[in-house]
């Protein structure tokens, strides 16, 4: 199967087969990590620009590493150190980057829909690296890849997503992807952190983790996004942690092979205890490693690569 898209803007618009193709393509990419020379020539001569209007550690670094491992030239633009601070518009910035010869623009932006706007104005491929509260497709894909690698399948898994669903682009990308691949998705949070229409996305809502923990195969724990809260949505971080924070006590009746995930960055002691984050159930560091393989797969497929022809 060929990947015929110009951009990767979200998992909502991808077909199940396209998601599966990305996950399959990431496997040989991950195999490269164990070679002495961890590089393939697939993107030689291509230019990849990281354009980040919000802070990032994992996503920015892993996109840069992914592009370098495929032999692309990479450029990092931070909005705070660019002409954006002088008032340059998003579209003018996009046109400038296109004129400099970028083949792929990877964009993170605080406003939902900003990468979609950019993609309409330039011929370069655009990858959404997180737009506001909308989607974070490569995080969703790396989460799916990690679940499939650890559990051998996605179909039939019961996946709990716990925490700040309201502000979470990671939750939305996970929900689209998991539903398309046949998992059953449960969101768990205080009512104030659950969007009103969330059930229309095909999830079951719970207001306590204790209601569902025994049945879950995977628990994906989300950061409390204080920076996006316009009003106080729970009495205090201490109270949130006591009721919704995932600690060993909350996992007392979980399956023995429960997978504990977190997209990072973690607020240890708030949404997750250090004991859980560092426990043998946790695959948080493996998620980061898998993020490089997934981003290599996405860059490769958007650049016209075929699954059989990676190295
Ligand atoms: N998971 C994630 O998007 O992390 P960063 O904000 O560090 O990129």
């Amino acid at each position: 199967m060929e990947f015929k898209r110009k951009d990767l803007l979200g998992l909502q618009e991808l077909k199940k087969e396209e998601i599966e193709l990305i996950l399959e393509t990431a496997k040989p990419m991950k195999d490269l990590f164990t070679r002495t020379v961890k590089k393939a020539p697939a993107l030689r001569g291509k230019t990849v620009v990281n354009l980040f209007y919000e802070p990032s550690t994992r996503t920015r670094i892993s996109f840069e590493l992914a592009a370098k491992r495929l032999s692309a030239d990479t450029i990092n633009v931070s909005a705070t150190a660019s002409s954006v601070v002088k008032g340059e518009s998003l579209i003018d910035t996009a046109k400038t980057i296109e004129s400099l010869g970028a083949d792929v623009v990877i964009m993170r932006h605080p406003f939902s829909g900003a990468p979609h706007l950019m993609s309409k104005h330039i011929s370069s491929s655009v990858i959404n690296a997180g737009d506001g509260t909308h989607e974070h497709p490569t995080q969703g894909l790396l989460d799916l890849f990690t679940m499939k690698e650890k559990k051998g399948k996605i179909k039939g898994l019961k996946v709990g997503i716990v925490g700040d669903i309201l502000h979470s682009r990671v939750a939305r990308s996970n929900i689209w992807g998991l539903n398309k691949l046949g998992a059953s998705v449960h969101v768990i949070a205080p009512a104030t952190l659950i969007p009103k229409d969330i059930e229309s996305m095909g999830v079951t809502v719970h207001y306590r983790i204790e209601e569902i923990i025994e049945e879950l195969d995977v628990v994906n724990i989300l950061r409390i996004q204080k920076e996006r809260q316009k009003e106080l949505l729970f009495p205090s971080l201490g109270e949130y942690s006591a009721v919704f924070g995932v600690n060993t006590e909350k996992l007392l009746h979980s399956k023995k092979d429960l997978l504990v995930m977190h997209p990072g960055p973690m607020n240890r002691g708030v949404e997750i205890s250090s004991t859980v984050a560092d426990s043998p159930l946790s695959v948080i560091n493996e998620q980061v490693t898998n993020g490089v393989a997934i981003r290599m797969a996405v860059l490769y497929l958007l650049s016209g690569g075929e699954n059989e022809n990676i190295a």
Side-chain angles (χ1 to χ4, degrees):
M1 184 193 173
E2 255 183 284
F3 196 79
K4 293 206 176 100
R5 291 177 185 270
K6 169 182 163 290
D7 309 303
L8 176 66
L9 300 175
L11 296 195
Q12 181 176 7
E13 53 264 30
L14 291 196
K15 294 191 195 81
K16 173 180 179 250
E17 293 74 24
E18 291 175 299
I19 295 176
E20 285 171 343
L21 176 64
I22 298 170
L23 301 184
E24 280 306 305
T25 308
K27 280 191 204 162
M29 297 298 177
K30 193 169 177 185
D31 292 342
L32 272 181
F33 301 178
T34 53
R35 291 199 201 161
T36 320
V37 179
K38 299 178 180 57
K39 250 179 137 83
L43 264 65
R44 197 155 51 199
K46 304 265 185 197
T47 302
V48 174
V49 175
N50 264 323
L51 177 62
F52 277 59
Y53 289 77
E54 267 190 354
S56 167
T57 302
R58 280 146 288 270
T59 312
R60 198 195 61 70
I61 293 173
S62 69
F63 264 119
E64 185 176 357
L65 188 56
K68 286 194 154 98
R69 285 193 170 160
L70 292 174
S71 308
D73 297 317
T74 58
I75 298 169
N76 291 310
V77 184
S78 151
T80 50
S82 72
S83 288
V84 169
V85 292
K86 300 178 194 163
E88 185 170 68
S89 73
L90 182 63
I91 292 165
D92 285 339
T93 303
K95 289 283 178 201
T96 304
I97 290 172
E98 183 184 42
S99 305
L100 290 169
D103 296 289
V104 183
V105 180
I106 297 155
M107 184 183 187
R108 171 169 289 191
H109 201 281
F111 293 131
S112 302
H116 305 67
L117 179 69
M118 175 163 278
S119 90
K120 288 197 176 82
H121 287 87
I122 57 173
S123 56
S124 326
S125 291
V126 176
I127 302 177
N128 180 2
D131 63 323
T133 59
H134 176 230
E135 278 225 42
H136 190 349
T138 55
Q139 181 69 46
L141 288 164
L142 78 87
D143 290 344
L144 292 170
F145 184 87
T146 307
M147 289 178 214
K148 195 165 180 202
E149 187 175 60
K150 293 288 168 190
K151 296 287 182 190
K153 60 173 189 178
I154 300 285
K155 195 172 162 72
L157 289 182
K158 274 197 179 177
V159 179
I161 306 176
V162 189
D164 191 350
I165 314 290
L166 185 65
H167 301 102
S168 179
R169 52 201 181 200
V170 175
R172 278 170 192 74
S173 290
N174 263 266
I175 292 168
W176 290 121
L178 285 164
N179 275 335
K180 284 176 199 215
L181 298 195
S184 122
V185 187
H186 300 259
V187 297
I188 304 142
T192 49
L193 291 181
I194 295 185
K196 299 231 173 325
D197 58 347
I198 194 80
E199 272 144 332
S200 68
M201 289 183 77
V203 304
T204 310
V205 174
H206 305 266
Y207 301 106
R208 288 287 184 277
I209 194 166
E210 291 84 346
E211 286 174 24
I212 186 72
I213 189 65
E214 289 175 34
E215 297 175 38
L216 295 180
D217 299 295
V218 180
V219 64
N220 200 352
I221 304 160
L222 303 174
R223 182 172 69 87
I224 289 295
Q225 300 194 38
K226 281 175 283 183
E227 74 278 16
R228 292 195 213 277
Q229 291 189 15
K230 294 183 189 73
E231 55 185 325
L232 198 62
L233 295 171
F234 45 81
S236 69
L237 284 179
E239 189 158 327
Y240 178 86
S241 177
V243 181
F244 292 96
V246 178
N247 53 27
T248 39
E249 201 187 329
K250 301 266 180 35
L251 299 188
L252 222 53
H253 302 292
S254 72
K255 290 185 177 174
K256 296 293 163 248
D257 60 349
L258 175 76
L259 222 56
V260 172
M261 302 177 69
H262 192 304
M266 284 185 275
N267 287 315
R268 286 173 182 260
V270 180
E271 71 268 1
I272 187 167
S273 72
S274 278
T275 321
V276 170
D278 302 328
S279 78
L281 302 178
S282 164
V283 290
I284 294 168
N285 293 330
E286 286 165 83
Q287 286 175 261
V288 177
T289 307
N290 290 339
V292 180
I294 280 291
R295 287 167 180 133
M296 287 169 78
V298 168
L299 286 167
Y300 177 76
L301 290 170
L302 285 177
S303 304
E306 285 167 26
N307 200 348
E308 311 78 55
N309 195 22
I310 288 157

